[in-house]
Each structure stands twice: as C-alpha cells, then as structure tokens.
Amino acid sequence: MRLDQALDSMWMMLAAVLVMLMQVGFVLLEVGSTRAKNAGHIAVKQVIGFSVAALAFWVAGYAVAFGEGKWIGTTGWFLHLPQDSGALPISVSYLFQFAFLAVSLAIAWGGFAERGKLGIYIVFGAIYSIFIYPVVGHWVWGEHGWLHLLGKQDFAGSTVVHLQGGVAALVATMMLKPRLGKFDKRGMSVEIPGHNQVYTVLGVFVIWFGWFGFNPGSATHVQDGLFAYAALTTNLAAAAGALTMYFISRITTGKADISATLNGALSALVAITAPCAFVRPWAAVVIGAVAGTVGYYSGKWFERKGIDDPVSAASVHGAAGVWGTLSCGIFAAPDLVKNVGIGRAGLFYGGGWEQLAVQALGIVVTMAFVAAASFAALWVLEKVIGLRVSEHEERNGLDLSEHGRYGYISLPFPVNRVEAPDRRETVWESGQKVL
C-alpha cells in the first residue's frame, strides 16, 4: 500500500469512529428529550439497532448500495467485491458507510420513541438496512446509480442519510399515533417535557463533534485539503442555525428555549451535509440560518397537524434535509463543483435551473420510495406482531414493561401516579416505584 493510500485509510477509519460516536449523542439526546420511565429502553435500543444494522449491512446492504447495477446493486454479498488497487480497502469503506447507515437508522427511531415495541427495532432495523437505505444510497452514491449519473449533489447525505431517516420517522410516528396525553380532547398539543436538558445539550455537542467525521470524512482523502474545507463550512452553518433558532424562540415566546437552540444547530448540520464541499463559507452561514428557521416552523406545523414527533426527527432531519439538498442547486460555486466533480453550478452563480431540478427530483423520489417502503414494512409488522405497546405498558414505562426494571433506580419526586392492575404496587411515571 502506498503512503497516500495508507494516510487516506487512516483518515477514513478515524472519520468512521467519529461518526459511530454520534450514537452516544443520539442516546443522550433522545433520553433527555423523553421521560425518565423510558430512559433505559431508549438507550439499549440504540445498541440493538446498531448491532442489527452492522450485520445486515455486511450481509447485503453494502452490496445493494455499492454493487453493480443502475437501480440497485446486485453484486458484492458479504463484501465480496473486487478491490481497485487505488481505492480504499473494502473493510474501511464498509465501516465508514455502515456508520452513516447507523445514523440514519437512529434518526428513524425517533418516530418510535416511548411507544414502540422492542421487537420492531430488530425487524424494521434489518429491513431498513437492506431494502430501504441502501437503495437510495445506490441511486445517489453508487457509481452507476441513476441519480448519480444525472449529477445529483449530496456530498455527505442530506438526502441519503437524513431525509431518509426523517421520512421513516414521520411514517412511524403517524402509524403509531400520538403518545398518551400528548393531545387533549380538543386536539390541542400538551407539552410532554423531556426529563433532562443537560443530557440533550451533551448529546447535541457529541453529535456536532461527530459531524467532523461525517462531512469531512466524505472527502475520502487528505491530500488536497477538501476535508478541512468541509469542516469549516459545517461548523459555520451549525453556529448560524443554533443562533437563528435561539433568536426565533426568544422573539416568539419571550424565552430562550433550550430545545429550540439545540434543534437549530442540528437542523443546520443536516442542511449543510449535502452542500458542505460545494458552497462558499458565506453561503454555509445562510444555509444554516435558513435551516434553523425551517426546523423551527416545520416542527410547529407538524404539531398543529396532530403529529407527535418526540425528538423532532421529521422537522430537524426531514424538512432541513430537503432544504439542504435544494441549497446545492442554488449556491454551488463553479470552481468547487469542478473540484468535487459532480453536477453543475447553482442558480446563484448563473448555472440555471438544471441542477436545482435534479436536486428536487432526488428529493421527490427519495421521499416517495422511503415513505412507501416504510409504510409497507410497518403495516405488515402491525398485522403480524403489532407496533405499539399496550396502554398499561406505556403508562408504566417501557423500561418496566420491556426490560423488567427502570433505567434509573429512583428519582427524587413522583409525577402522574399510575396504578398497576396486575401488581400490588404503585408505579410513578418519573421512574420511582413504591411497593
């Protein structure tokens, strides 16, 4: 192996590990955004989903994504693909691409939060890892994928990773229906606050840092410094998104909403993922600021429509993913496009409407495919094993009903007492139990 190949391989392994560490961030973010009685369940289902995805992607998912074929890959089961002498080792490529899949799946899990059965994570995780995520991945990133051949720009996955996860989460949360008590008899939204905002802040910081593996890692090499440029635009966009949503919440509610500020950073990170290598730093700031706005108001819109999205996956990853994908067709700079070698310049630089049309086409077909495939898979699972735990189990908490014990041994105060009809005990929604 030549020195440049060795350096690239080492960089890609580091990037893969950074992206894998985002799972820690997702655990903290989702646990902190939900109630204490479900904390252990939410944490361990990330481990379960991560494990299922690793095996399924090794067996078939990587082949579907990167094997030969126009519509789907049909070669390379169990990573049996020819090794190009100038390419990264297949093992490194698999680990890096698997880490992206794991992030997309973690996003989808947000739509199941606090009411989905544990078994669903295993079955749907395998389906998503083989039959859903890799198909769009092949279209956009596969050497012979039809959207790739059209010149669709998605440097690190606003469409492939985030839009897919956001759409799957939206389908799941609509099929599962709202959590108990989320909407009153008039259909008005009732706030169900997360139990630990410190966790959510830590989670977002871990995810933010992990994104430096996500976007810069997608450069796949270190010689020309493209990875550092992608890191710059990524960081600028995230900062702009966080501050934008902070100011929006301050102006509209009179308070500096912590969750809004965090979602602003995440929305911007999602949006800059597609254009990070195609746009100037000033455009990255604009993209991040618009993403924060889109994330805030789309979340409010979903809630008004009676959709209970506990961790804002549909708005932060879905709506912001749409904006990020479109932004390539607006702000892609000609010299950066030439450097990356995919697509055309954006509308702002006189490139015309062609690139924007390709980006929009990618959005439409991705949303349609993922929504249809997710609905079909979950509909069958609903008929066979059911998607949602019982009302009694939901009230007592999934920690107790699915795992036999709470993630926290005790908490300092009880909230919303619930009588357990089949036990001589009183269970508190905070996670405390009084015999």
Side-chain angles (χ1 to χ4, degrees):
M1 181 181 290
R2 301 192 312 266
L3 177 60
D4 59 340
Q5 290 177 276
L7 290 173
D8 290 344
S9 296
M10 289 178 63
W11 164 238
M12 292 302 293
M13 277 300 302
L14 174 60
V17 171
L18 285 172
V19 177
M20 289 179 189
L21 283 174
M22 292 171 74
Q23 297 295 318
V24 177
F26 283 114
V27 169
L28 290 168
L29 175 61
E30 191 172 337
V31 167
S33 300
T34 52
R35 289 165 290 186
K37 64 181 181 179
N38 300 309
H41 172 83
I42 288 171
V44 77
K45 57 94 170 167
Q46 291 293 130
V47 177
I48 293 171
F50 191 80
S51 302
V52 169
L55 294 174
F57 201 60
W58 167 65
V59 171
Y62 188 92
V64 173
F66 299 105
E68 295 182 3
K70 181 178 181 180
W71 301 106
I72 63 170
T74 56
T75 61
W77 314 112
F78 296 95
L79 305 183
H80 291 157
L81 288 166
Q83 176 68 55
D84 187 330
S85 61
L88 291 169
I90 292 295
S91 56
V92 175
S93 178
Y94 158 78
L95 289 170
F96 183 70
Q97 295 298 338
F98 154 68
F100 277 50
L101 161 63
V103 167
S104 189
L105 190 57
I107 294 164
W109 292 153
F112 296 76
E114 299 204 284
R115 61 230 196 265
K117 289 182 176 180
L118 186 62
I120 297 300
Y121 295 114
I122 298 174
V123 182
F124 186 76
I127 294 170
Y128 189 85
S129 300
I130 297 174
F131 300 108
I132 300 178
Y133 175 90
V135 172
V136 176
H138 182 81
W139 293 348
V140 179
W141 289 340
E143 184 179 355
H144 304 290
W146 68 279
L147 284 172
H148 177 78
L149 295 175
L150 287 176
K152 184 181 184 306
Q153 296 168 341
D154 190 8
F155 190 75
S158 288
T159 300
V160 175
V161 178
H162 297 281
L163 183 56
Q164 285 205 82
V167 171
L170 179 60
V171 171
T173 199
M174 292 177 69
M175 293 183 69
L176 282 161
K177 301 188 177 357
R179 291 168 291 174
L180 297 174
K182 176 58 182 174
F183 296 98
D184 62 22
K185 294 180 179 179
R186 298 173 299 165
M188 301 296 292
S189 176
V190 176
E191 184 181 8
I192 302 179
H195 80 279
N196 196 319
Q197 289 187 320
V198 175
Y199 279 6
T200 61
V201 172
L202 291 174
V204 168
F205 262 128
V206 172
I207 293 170
W208 189 331
F209 298 156
W211 229 286
F212 292 112
F214 212 96
N215 290 1
S218 295
T220 71
H221 52 268
V222 298
Q223 286 77 31
D224 61 2
L226 181 60
F227 74 99
Y229 186 83
L232 170 66
T233 56
T234 297
N235 202 53
L236 291 173
L243 292 176
T244 297
M245 203 177 279
Y246 160 80
F247 284 116
I248 291 174
S249 68
R250 190 84 180 186
I251 292 168
T252 57
T253 69
K255 300 293 182 181
D257 188 284
I258 295 174
S259 295
T261 303
L262 300 177
N263 282 341
L266 292 176
S267 297
L269 286 165
V270 168
I272 198 61
T273 297
C276 61
F278 293 100
V279 301
R280 302 285 183 211
W282 68 265
V285 173
V286 173
I287 291 167
V290 173
T293 306
V294 168
Y296 185 86
Y297 287 106
S298 62
K300 298 294 184 185
W301 184 84
F302 282 126
E303 197 165 71
R304 286 198 300 272
K305 294 300 180 180
I307 296 172
D308 180 18
D309 186 6
V311 293
S312 302
S315 55
V316 168
H317 298 275
V322 168
W323 160 241
T325 302
L326 291 174
S327 69
C328 289
I330 301 171
F331 297 112
D335 58 324
L336 296 176
V337 170
K338 183 178 180 180
N339 184 42
V340 178
I342 300 174
R344 305 160 189 83
L347 186 64
F348 183 84
Y349 288 93
W353 296 91
E354 189 171 356
Q355 188 63 47
L356 190 59
V358 171
Q359 299 299 107
L361 174 63
I363 290 168
V364 171
V365 297
T366 296
M367 293 180 68
F369 170 74
V370 176
S374 298
F375 175 81
L378 292 173
W379 184 85
V380 172
L381 290 173
E382 169 65 25
K383 299 300 181 183
V384 175
I385 61 176
L387 298 178
R388 184 165 178 162
V389 298
S390 69
E391 180 176 332
H392 168 64
E393 290 172 327
E394 184 176 344
R395 290 191 184 280
N396 283 353
L398 275 67
D399 282 8
L400 190 64
S401 64
E402 293 278 17
H403 309 284
R405 65 181 64 189
Y406 285 115
Y408 299 113
I409 295 175
S410 64
L411 289 173
F413 56 87
V415 181
N416 298 332
R417 190 176 73 176
V418 179
E419 297 293 341
D422 57 344
R423 297 181 179 88
R424 297 182 61 187
E425 64 184 51
T426 299
V427 180
W428 305 88
E429 290 209 13
S430 66
Q432 191 174 27
K433 181 169 64 175
V434 180
L435 295 178

